[in-house]
Amino acid sequence: MSAESAATALLRSQVDLLDFIDWSGVECLNYNSSHPLPNAVKQGYREDDGLNLESDADEQLLIYLPFTQVVKLHSIVVKGPEEEGPKTVKLFSNREHMGFSNVNDFPPSDTAVLSSDNLKGHPVVLKFVKFQNVRSLTIFIEDNQSGSEITKVLKIALFGTTVETTDMKGLKKIEDHQH
Amino acid sequence: MVLEATMICIDNSEWMRNGDYTPSRFQAQAEAVNLICGAKTQLNPENTVGVMTMAGKGVRVLVTPTSDLGKILACMHGLEIGGEMNLAAGIQVSQLALKHRQNKKQQQRIILFAGSPIKHDKKLLEMIGKRLKKNSVALDIVNFGEEDDSKTEKLEALLAAVNNNDSSHIVHVPPGPNALSDVLISTPIFTGDGEGGSGFAAAAAAAAAGGVSGYDFGVDPNLDPELALALRVSMEEERARQEAAAKKAAEETGKQENEGEQQSNSQDTTMTDQVSAPVSEADTKKNDMMDEENALLQQALAMSMDDPGSSQDLRDTDMSDAAADDPELALALQLSVQDSAKDSASQSDMSKLLTDQSFVSSILASLPGVDPNDPSVKDMLASMQNQSEVSSSNFIGVHQTLLVLIEYGVYSV
């Protein structure tokens, strides 16, 4: 439990990076056009469990999220259904315009294997040291829990802090230590 | 106005020597490629198009995606026919070429000309299609040339695998009298999913209807729409007039046509003096107009009278306001205007005719907008009658005549 509380305490200083996503440059490959990326990422849509991001031709998804400023990424929440939710998620920081052909060309900044706990909304803490200077994030969903043809994602949320400016909202949440 | 990068895959295999599409399958393909490049670039100036061959010595990219039409047209020359088409490798290479496009915001599209039989099996094609869809590449297939059941089936399967929201299309072009490019113009490949491209398609269709080599009057409607319109209208009115003139000609024994021919012969030297900057475009137009100069002149005059609301009249009033008071200024204006190639060509034709005084007076009298009793007209006529046959005087007299005509909004500059 102490580990849990430590994790949540850390989380309190982190901010939902949704506001810092540069929507004009957001790309998603291999998604089903009736279930596009904003369903999983945008405010409001991602809370709606009826709307989800689905893959199209096969079970892999490649999501590219640029940020409006440099951020440090702390943790990530990926929610999905029990069966078709993502399993292996690879994160690449600061790699532009990746395609499925070159995802395996360089090692990811971090890899997360999602458990059913994670799929319910429990955040995955990342290797913070690798995400100190993130301008863009590429999320590669390699496979899903059940190995089915389609991967479904209900929600993707990123938590971290910004580098250049101090976020006033984040400061309020901090109780005894500052960043 | 979708921003797109397109790779065109040409089939230059042995099967393209066949002549069931005029003039040969390969030529028909080349024409279609040229049209597509033009259409894509017109749809959006930032669109890029690249070209590659699938047969010959091997799969080869001739031009990487570029918006420079000249490069694309140039690379189509000197292409050799031979070998066998390698569809899978061709698509793979196009995908790679598109992946490395400069502007990552462009949508990716491949246009495939499938003329020869396909040796890959359906499974492989479906996998290729899936990979294209995964990488959000759209595919347009032009199925022509060799026809066998499995080829059509395979291409349909490929399309089904790629198709995402109807962004990919297939067109079957059977051999026949219509050119490959004509058939393609009306398809979504050109019209870009129903938006934008219809303007280019309409212009291309009109041009194609005008003749295989292109345009009716040696003038490209896209380059110079006003001139093309003027010429076309004058041709139509010429036909109407010639019927009326035919009746007159019986009485006058074709006097007017003789005058026109004499002037064209005797005034050649005058014409060469006057044409200051012989631009090739002007030469073309001059040659065209020399053939029908008399008739066209009348029709141009008639047309500008009939069309008072046009912008041409606005320009006329500008000129006449300046010219009305000061003849010398008007002459200078005239000369400066003459520097533009188009005007010099038209005016030289005019001047040849106008040096014949009787012809001029008859024209002036017949024009409804001109009052022969007007003092300026009378002065000009008098000056023309007094002038000698020296070409320079003719020159000036002609210009004065032109000024008067401009003033009356008759002759458009």
Side-chain angles (χ1 to χ4, degrees):
Chain A
M1 283 305 281
S2 62
E4 282 245 12
S5 58
T8 48
L10 264 175
L11 263 181
R12 266 189 229 123
S13 65
Q14 309 300 327
V15 169
D16 190 338
L17 295 175
L18 173 69
D19 302 328
F20 302 106
I21 294 179
D22 176 13
W23 290 102
S24 63
V26 163
E27 285 168 20
C28 183
L29 286 183
N30 196 31
Y31 67 97
N32 187 332
S33 42
S34 48
H35 298 93
L37 180 65
N39 282 0
V41 182
K42 270 204 171 159
Q43 189 66 40
Y45 292 112
R46 61 186 188 174
E47 307 304 335
D48 184 350
D49 284 352
L51 294 173
N52 54 2
L53 165 68
E54 274 183 29
S55 68
D56 197 6
D58 60 11
E59 72 281 3
Q60 295 184 341
L61 279 166
L62 193 61
I63 302 165
Y64 172 71
L65 298 168
F67 296 104
T68 53
Q69 52 172 287
V70 181
V71 297
K72 296 183 206 253
L73 189 61
H74 175 267
S75 55
I76 178 173
V77 167
V78 179
K79 265 175 82 172
E82 195 64 42
E83 291 277 310
E84 291 117 346
K87 189 162 87 179
T88 314
V89 176
K90 291 186 176 167
L91 298 165
F92 300 84
S93 87
N94 297 335
R95 294 239 182 247
E96 317 244 303
H97 305 291
M98 287 182 71
F100 288 105
S101 47
N102 58 354
V103 278
N104 295 317
D105 286 350
F106 17 74
S109 308
D110 202 357
T111 309
V113 179
L114 301 178
S115 63
S116 56
D117 231 8
N118 295 123
L119 286 177
K120 292 203 181 83
H122 197 88
V124 177
V125 179
L126 305 169
K127 288 188 192 135
F128 199 40
V129 290
K130 299 247 180 171
F131 293 99
Q132 288 296 301
N133 197 351
V134 178
R135 286 200 176 274
S136 71
L137 183 69
T138 305
I139 304 172
F140 173 47
I141 298 176
E142 200 168 357
D143 51 22
N144 54 35
Q145 298 285 334
S146 55
S148 71
E149 272 294 308
I150 299 180
T151 304
K152 295 186 185 172
V153 181
L154 284 171
K155 173 180 172 180
I156 296 177
L158 305 167
F159 294 96
T161 56
T162 59
V163 170
E164 271 138 35
T165 59
T166 324
D167 192 339
M168 299 308 291
K169 283 192 277 179
L171 269 180
K172 271 194 226 155
K173 287 183 194 167
I174 293 171
E175 291 162 24
D176 47 349
H177 60 94
Q178 296 173 18
H179 271 255
Chain B
M1 284 301 173
V2 186
L3 188 56
E4 233 178 27
T6 310
M7 274 302 285
I8 305 183
C9 299
I10 299 182
D11 182 359
N12 59 335
S13 60
E14 282 290 342
W15 281 268
M16 293 301 109
R17 288 192 203 275
N18 198 328
D20 52 359
Y21 297 80
T22 48
S24 76
R25 285 180 184 174
F26 184 70
Q27 288 297 327
Q29 222 185 150
E31 266 177 42
V33 169
N34 292 342
L35 273 176
I36 290 176
C37 297
K40 292 288 177 193
T41 320
Q42 263 206 353
L43 268 179
N44 186 330
E46 287 189 48
N47 280 352
T48 57
V49 182
V51 178
M52 56 169 285
T53 55
M54 290 190 286
K57 294 207 179 98
V59 172
R60 192 159 68 100
V61 174
L62 299 171
V63 184
T64 56
T66 170
S67 50
D68 182 359
L69 265 188
K71 249 200 225 172
I72 300 168
L73 297 180
C75 83
M76 294 294 299
H77 286 289
L79 274 184
E80 288 171 5
I81 300 182
E84 255 187 26
M85 173 175 84
N86 186 346
L87 187 73
I91 294 188
Q92 231 172 342
V93 171
S94 332
Q95 223 182 318
L96 201 62
L98 285 172
K99 189 171 147 196
H100 292 286
R101 64 196 186 283
Q102 289 203 315
N103 182 357
K104 301 289 181 190
K105 293 215 185 289
Q106 288 168 328
Q107 304 276 338
Q108 304 171 71
R109 181 173 289 271
I110 299 177
I111 300 183
L112 174 68
F113 282 88
S116 43
I118 299 178
K119 57 180 197 258
H120 310 286
D121 61 351
K122 208 161 123 180
K123 218 59 188 27
L124 178 65
L125 290 178
E126 276 174 2
M127 266 177 54
I128 293 173
K130 253 178 80 171
R131 196 169 58 220
L132 286 176
K133 182 152 95 159
K134 198 169 160 188
N135 286 291
S136 71
V137 179
L139 177 65
D140 288 334
I141 308 175
V142 180
N143 181 12
F144 72 112
E146 291 295 310
E147 280 295 325
D148 51 10
D149 280 340
S150 68
K151 181 186 179 203
T152 312
E153 206 186 302
K154 284 175 185 174
L155 289 176
E156 295 277 2
L158 174 61
L159 184 83
V162 179
N163 205 352
N164 186 6
N165 263 4
D166 280 336
S167 63
S168 305
H169 318 94
I170 184 168
V171 179
H172 306 276
V173 187
N178 302 326
L180 182 64
S181 21
D182 290 342
V183 175
L184 285 179
I185 281 173
S186 52
T187 61
I189 293 179
F190 261 89
T191 58
D193 297 335
E195 11 155 309
S198 51
F200 180 88
V212 176
S213 57
Y215 314 102
D216 287 329
F217 301 105
V219 174
D220 183 347
N222 288 331
L223 288 179
D224 200 347
E226 286 179 23
L227 181 61
L229 175 69
L231 290 171
R232 201 185 319 135
V233 171
S234 58
M235 273 305 288
E236 288 166 8
E237 298 200 31
E238 156 65 6
R239 280 185 212 111
R241 282 237 169 187
Q242 269 191 345
E243 287 157 24
K247 295 169 195 169
K248 268 194 187 175
E251 304 164 21
E252 294 180 23
T253 63
K255 204 173 22 167
Q256 283 201 332
E257 285 121 41
N258 288 344
E259 285 173 357
E261 279 166 34
Q262 281 169 14
Q263 280 149 39
S264 66
N265 293 335
S266 62
Q267 298 307 322
D268 275 348
T269 48
T270 316
M271 196 178 70
T272 49
D273 287 342
Q274 290 161 1
V275 174
S276 52
V279 182
S280 61
E281 187 184 354
D283 284 340
T284 315
K285 291 177 193 165
K286 217 182 351 179
N287 291 334
D288 289 340
M289 289 190 77
M290 270 169 70
D291 300 333
E292 314 166 279
E293 63 210 16
N294 193 6
L296 270 180
L297 168 64
Q298 289 189 2
Q299 309 329 313
L301 295 175
M303 185 204 75
S304 44
M305 286 183 326
D306 289 342
D307 200 1
S310 73
S311 61
Q312 295 164 342
D313 267 331
L314 291 174
R315 283 184 277 152
D316 296 342
T317 48
D318 288 344
M319 273 290 287
S320 64
D321 286 342
D325 298 335
D326 191 352
E328 287 172 12
L329 172 63
L331 179 60
L333 277 171
Q334 199 69 2
L335 286 172
S336 64
V337 162
Q338 201 185 18
D339 282 343
S340 80
K342 171 176 161 181
D343 292 337
S344 71
S346 320
Q347 286 183 8
S348 62
D349 298 327
M350 273 282 293
S351 61
K352 280 178 283 166
L353 300 159
L354 290 174
T355 44
D356 184 32
Q357 301 151 13
S358 56
F359 184 60
V360 173
S361 6
S362 70
I363 279 193
L364 285 175
S366 69
L367 294 172
V370 176
D371 180 5
N373 296 325
D374 189 296
S376 51
V377 176
K378 269 193 170 174
D379 287 346
M380 186 220 56
L381 280 175
S383 71
M384 286 194 69
Q385 282 159 11
N386 290 340
Q387 72 192 17
S388 63
E389 286 302 312
V390 178
S391 57
S392 55
S393 306
N394 283 344
F395 190 90
I396 294 171
V398 158
H399 282 291
Q400 286 181 340
T401 316
L402 285 168
L403 284 172
V404 173
L405 289 172
I406 288 164
E407 197 174 357
Y408 284 91
V410 163
Y411 176 65
S412 60
V413 171

